[in-house]
Amino acid sequence: MEATSQPRHRSVPVQIGRVTVGGDAPIVVQSMTNTDTADVAATAAQVIALAQAGSEIIRITVDRDEAAAAVPHIKERVMRMGIDVPIVGDFHYIGHKLLADHPACAEALDKYRINPGNVGFKDKRDKQFSAIVEMAIKHNKPVRIGANWGSLDQELLTHLMDENSRAPKPLEARAVTREAMVQSALLSAERAEEIGLPKNRIILSAKVSAVQDLIAVYREMARRSDYALHLGLTEAGMGSKGIVASSAAMGVLLQEGIGDTIRVSLTPEPNGDRTVEVKVAQEILQTMGFRTFVPFVAACPGCGRTTSTTFQELAQDIQEFIRVSMPEWKTRYPGVENLNVAVMGCIVNGPGESKHADIGISLPGTGEQPTAPVFIDGKKATTLRGPTLVADFKQMVADYIERRFGQGHTAAE
């Protein structure tokens, strides 16, 4: 499926390890660990899990000496597992000191993230910001300058509020705060370039927690600059609330061609799976037609014609089968992520939808004959029945993948 969005915001590409962000590169999925970075084993394990789930850039907190000292060991463990994912250091307050005191950390990280609102205060701000930028130049690292609604530069905000109060037609305070977010990011980027950091090593973000604010801020940043942009709704929340809010905000911007890399900042359930945010980010991009990560499984929502739970169970089973199999399939079957599977629940739309998929099954609805026709490449291939129906269909999916994406098929082409 091809995206029909407006042309991409023309941003300058930035290289982060082996990953390119911006320019004509695909929109990149990233995430962040929530372990104590000083715990090398736990953080390395979560980095590996996030990378295996599909995160293409992973950020870790570097908040104290113990965390900074752990970074090179985390990188080593991850690389030893054969995973070459860019790791970004998230610095606040004392980043300049940590990078100076721990050169191995500064070298091991693939990118630094600075929040201009808390890199320092008053006279120290420019000095500490400059120190981090100079360290990035020394180690040839890119930098994300990430303004945040919750830690906005108060001097800049106060200055803009004072100016606004003297204007003939003052704006609402919220509009002034949005402008402060934009200026904080853009002015900091300009300062970084003055120090000597080239534009192709700068990424900008301006995280807010309200959908309309995020849309307004990023539209303005895209209009006023050509820096690569990282999208994310900060403090999006838990569960469906966080998923819906992030999808609504980023969906609008992505459709307008704004955004080079995204993160879905979900609050996990207690001891919950951190990789959920990666899956949601992938689903946003895949649903909108910008990227393809896993085979698409179409399934009907069910109604009074489908009082049996068979099709829901089969759809769930097939999706789990695909999720578990994908790490191996990606290496064995190039292009398998483009596969379309349909699991339908009755005769009304079942056969038609199944024909549109690469491989699909139309299960019997309430009162229908206990038979399930299977369609492959638009043609009826067989009819499944009986207690082995689920296992039989899964085997047919596996066989289809082998035929279409296996090495024998590649050689024949």
Side-chain angles (χ1 to χ4, degrees):
M1 180 173 58
E2 294 184 358
T4 56
S5 65
Q6 296 177 24
R8 281 273 293 278
H9 163 245
R10 297 303 301 172
S11 58
V12 175
V14 179
Q15 196 67 32
I16 306 170
R18 61 178 180 78
V19 176
T20 303
V21 170
D24 294 324
I27 300 165
V28 173
V29 171
Q30 65 177 276
S31 56
M32 185 176 185
T33 60
N34 61 356
T35 54
D36 178 358
T37 305
D39 186 335
V40 173
T43 303
Q46 193 171 78
V47 168
I48 291 166
L50 289 167
Q52 289 176 335
S55 183
E56 295 159 306
I57 298 174
I58 298 170
R59 185 160 44 113
I60 63 176
T61 297
V62 186
D63 58 346
R64 63 193 196 280
D65 286 303
E66 292 83 359
V71 168
H73 302 292
I74 293 166
K75 182 83 170 182
E76 181 184 5
R77 283 198 183 207
V78 172
M79 294 293 287
R80 207 161 56 225
M81 291 295 294
I83 293 176
D84 183 17
V85 62
I87 297 178
V88 179
D90 195 58
F91 293 101
H92 299 275
Y93 306 112
I94 58 169
H96 62 293
K97 184 176 185 302
L98 293 174
L99 287 168
D101 292 348
H102 298 273
C105 167
E107 182 57 38
L109 292 169
D110 295 282
K111 185 179 76 171
Y112 310 153
R113 188 264 180 160
I114 315 172
N115 181 341
N118 60 27
V119 73
F121 301 96
K122 297 189 181 295
D123 296 339
K124 293 182 180 180
R125 177 181 291 113
D126 190 58
K127 182 178 179 182
Q128 294 179 6
F129 179 86
S130 299
I132 297 176
V133 172
E134 287 166 0
M135 194 66 68
I137 295 169
K138 176 182 176 181
H139 291 279
N140 196 28
K141 307 293 183 181
V143 171
R144 170 154 73 93
I145 297 172
N148 193 293
W149 192 269
S151 51
L152 186 54
D153 182 338
Q154 291 303 302
E155 286 186 41
L156 174 61
L157 180 59
T158 300
H159 170 70
L160 292 178
M161 287 291 188
D162 288 344
E163 276 191 346
N164 184 62
S165 67
R166 295 191 294 270
K169 295 182 178 179
L171 301 173
E172 293 183 357
R174 199 170 195 89
V176 178
T177 305
R178 289 172 175 171
E179 175 62 19
M181 286 285 293
V182 174
Q183 286 198 27
S184 177
L186 293 179
L187 291 172
S188 296
E190 289 174 13
R191 177 59 184 143
E193 286 197 68
E194 288 172 2
I195 296 167
L197 189 68
K199 182 171 283 189
N200 67 355
R201 284 195 226 146
I202 298 173
I203 295 175
L204 297 187
S205 67
K207 298 286 195 73
V208 302
S209 56
V211 169
Q212 295 299 336
D213 290 326
L214 191 84
I215 293 169
V217 166
Y218 273 90
R219 278 175 174 165
E220 195 62 18
M221 284 211 303
R223 187 182 71 82
R224 287 155 65 170
S225 79
D226 60 355
Y227 293 106
L229 299 178
H230 167 66
L231 295 187
L233 190 74
T234 192
E235 293 103 31
M238 298 181 76
S240 60
K241 185 268 181 187
I243 293 171
V244 171
S246 294
S247 301
M250 289 192 284
V252 170
L253 291 167
L254 291 169
Q255 190 67 18
E256 294 179 2
I258 299 170
D260 301 293
T261 171
I262 69 170
R263 180 195 173 200
V264 177
S265 301
L266 294 180
T267 304
E269 301 289 340
N271 301 312
D273 185 355
R274 189 65 164 181
T275 65
V276 171
E277 67 175 46
V278 179
K279 296 170 189 172
V280 173
Q282 289 180 327
E283 287 170 3
I284 290 171
L285 294 178
Q286 183 156 337
T287 300
M288 295 189 70
F290 294 111
R291 297 279 304 270
T292 304
F293 298 97
V294 296
F296 178 73
V297 179
C300 72
C303 66
R305 293 186 294 269
T306 56
T307 53
S308 164
T309 61
T310 304
F311 85 94
Q312 295 103 318
E313 292 164 0
L314 179 55
Q316 185 178 47
D317 205 4
I318 290 295
Q319 288 202 142
E320 183 64 13
F321 172 57
I322 288 172
R323 187 190 69 79
V324 171
S325 302
M326 274 305 290
E328 178 190 355
W329 286 354
K330 281 181 180 178
T331 59
R332 288 185 58 192
Y333 304 119
V336 69
E337 64 274 9
N338 295 305
L339 178 71
N340 285 315
V341 181
V343 180
M344 306 305 293
C346 79
I347 200 171
V348 174
N349 294 312
E353 290 289 349
S354 297
K355 288 177 183 177
H356 288 306
D358 296 314
I359 179 168
I361 186 169
S362 179
L363 294 164
T366 305
E368 294 174 12
Q369 291 296 317
T371 60
V374 176
F375 297 85
I376 296 177
D377 294 330
K379 298 179 181 178
K380 184 177 177 180
T382 189
T383 299
L384 299 179
R385 300 177 176 84
T388 63
L389 184 151
V390 172
D392 292 343
F393 183 66
K394 285 168 64 175
Q395 186 59 54
M396 291 187 71
V397 171
D399 291 344
Y400 180 85
I401 290 170
E402 177 64 44
R403 287 198 308 274
R404 179 173 170 185
F405 302 102
Q407 292 303 309
H409 171 79
T410 303
E413 291 293 313

